[in-house]
């Protein structure tokens, strides 16, 4: 029963990917006139050429923007989450429980509810329609702080920290040379989750950006999709561009799966 349910779930999630891969091989006219889950000629090379040369390389610019936002934003969010989670797990200070409860409450707030307030705040300092208007909000991850706190409490023994202090190491040195290495599986999990969230983010760039040269690939493909009624040939570019846009996510999962599985299991450990 469980195996059957897993098989059905796998088919459900993989079917759109199969449709996308097959559709990327079709011409714009075949996309509307043929069955979506079967081939009708091979136009993949032409579609790839049209996609990467669209707008003098505008699609590649969108991919580069997504890579910039995702890699830098996820790396910054991982480091900040590690520092905050480690402090909440290993240091006793006034207001620690209240601070952690506030961070947990932040997990429940949907990002869509924060888009407009963030726009008003960044507009006040003249940072909208810049790279920073997407990067700065992406560096905060309440779930990352929660996971880092749980993993730090379970994986960083107090005895090691005490031994380091006796040997003369400061708290900052202990954090960067010892604690970060022990927390590595959780940090990779946080990085991967944040990378995927930023890569797939749509509303925040839509609110913040007006220049198409700053668009991530999600927002760029959306703008192309709105123009299909005027130029049907763009449909093949949208489909092929969508296929190309998921390749970095697949590669990231395959490269980091050995680490993020371990880190994800840490969330189930009772503190």
């Amino acid at each position: 029963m469980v195996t059957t349910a897993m098989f059905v779930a796998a088919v459900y999630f993989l079917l759109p990917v199969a449709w996308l891969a097959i559709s990327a091989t079709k011409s714009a006219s075949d996309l509307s006139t043929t069955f979506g889950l079967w081939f009708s000629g091979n136009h993949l090379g032409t579609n790839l050429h049209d996609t990467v040369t669209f707008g003098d390389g505008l699609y590649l610019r969108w991919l580069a923007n997504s890579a910039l936002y995702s890699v830098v934003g996820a790396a910054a969010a991982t480091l900040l989450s590690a520092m905050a989670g480690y402090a909440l797990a290993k240091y006793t200070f006034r207001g620690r429980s209240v601070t952690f409860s506030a961070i947990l409450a932040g997990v429940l707030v949907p990002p869509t509810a924060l888009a407009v307030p963030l726009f008003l705040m960044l507009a006040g300092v003249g940072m909208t329609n810049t790279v920073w208007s997407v990067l700065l909000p992406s560096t905060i991850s309440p779930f990352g702080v929660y996971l880092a706190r749980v993993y730090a409490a379970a994986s960083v023994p107090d005895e090691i920290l005490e031994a380091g202090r006796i040997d003369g190491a400061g708290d900052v040195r202990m954090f960067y040379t010892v604690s970060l290495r022990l927390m590595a599986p959780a940090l990779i999990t946080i990085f991967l989750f944040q990378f995927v969230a930023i890569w797939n983010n749509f509303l925040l760039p839509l609110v913040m950006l007006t220049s198409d040269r700053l668009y991530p690939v999600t927002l760029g493909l959306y703008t192309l999709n709105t123009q299909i009624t005027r130029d049907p040939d763009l449909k093949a570019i949208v489909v092929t561009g969508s296929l190309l846009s998921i390749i970095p996510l697949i590669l990231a999962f395959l490269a980091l799966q050995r680490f993020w599985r371990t880190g994800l299991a840490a969330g189930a450990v009772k503190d």
Side-chain angles (χ1 to χ4, degrees):
M1 184 66 180
V2 175
T3 303
T4 303
M6 293 294 292
F7 177 77
V8 172
V11 171
Y12 175 79
F13 286 112
L14 291 177
L15 204 58
V17 179
W19 181 92
L20 194 61
I22 294 172
S23 297
T25 66
K26 299 181 179 180
S27 65
S29 59
D30 289 342
L31 285 171
S32 304
T33 58
T34 60
F35 181 56
L37 292 175
W38 195 248
F39 299 93
S40 63
N42 185 7
H43 301 271
L44 181 60
T46 303
N47 291 339
L48 288 174
H49 177 268
D50 293 342
T51 301
V52 299
T53 59
F54 172 78
D56 293 330
L58 187 59
Y59 176 79
L60 295 180
R61 177 65 179 256
W62 294 338
L63 273 182
N65 290 338
S66 287
L68 172 67
Y69 299 144
S70 300
V71 174
V72 177
T78 302
L79 179 60
L80 292 176
S81 297
M83 297 170 69
Y86 178 77
L88 289 168
K90 293 300 172 182
Y91 294 95
T92 302
F93 54 88
R94 181 177 297 178
R96 184 176 69 164
S97 299
V98 175
T99 302
F100 186 59
S101 298
I103 293 173
L104 283 181
V107 176
L108 304 177
V109 179
T112 52
L114 301 176
V116 174
L118 285 171
F119 172 79
L120 296 176
M121 292 171 60
L122 293 175
V125 294
M127 295 182 68
T128 54
N129 197 34
T130 66
V131 171
W132 297 107
S133 63
V134 178
L135 266 182
L136 288 180
S138 302
T139 60
I140 306 301
S141 173
F143 174 74
V145 176
Y146 164 75
L147 188 59
R149 193 258 186 188
V150 171
Y151 201 86
S155 64
V156 183
D158 293 335
E159 292 78 8
I160 290 182
L161 301 181
E162 290 297 329
R165 294 189 182 104
I166 293 174
D167 291 338
D171 290 334
V172 174
R173 182 180 177 186
M174 289 293 297
F175 173 72
Y176 283 104
T177 59
V178 178
S179 301
L180 278 184
R181 296 183 180 181
L182 296 174
M183 296 168 61
L187 300 185
I188 291 174
T189 303
I190 296 169
F191 176 86
L192 188 58
F193 279 178
Q194 194 68 3
F195 179 88
V196 174
I198 299 173
W199 188 276
N200 291 327
N201 198 357
F202 172 76
L203 182 61
L204 183 66
L206 177 65
V207 172
M208 294 291 181
L209 303 176
T210 57
S211 171
D212 61 357
R213 304 291 295 177
L214 297 176
Y215 284 177
V217 68
T218 51
L219 185 55
L221 290 174
Y222 168 76
T223 57
L224 285 186
N225 193 52
T226 60
Q227 302 171 23
I228 285 179
T229 54
R230 288 179 294 173
D231 186 357
D233 290 339
L234 289 176
K235 193 171 185 178
I237 295 178
V238 172
V239 171
T240 307
S242 299
L243 178 64
L244 293 178
S245 70
I246 66 174
I247 292 177
L249 300 179
I250 296 174
L251 294 178
F253 265 95
L254 293 177
L256 301 176
Q257 62 175 334
R258 180 167 61 92
F259 301 98
W260 70 264
R261 284 177 178 173
T262 305
L264 188 63
V269 178
K270 184 177 181 180
D271 188 17

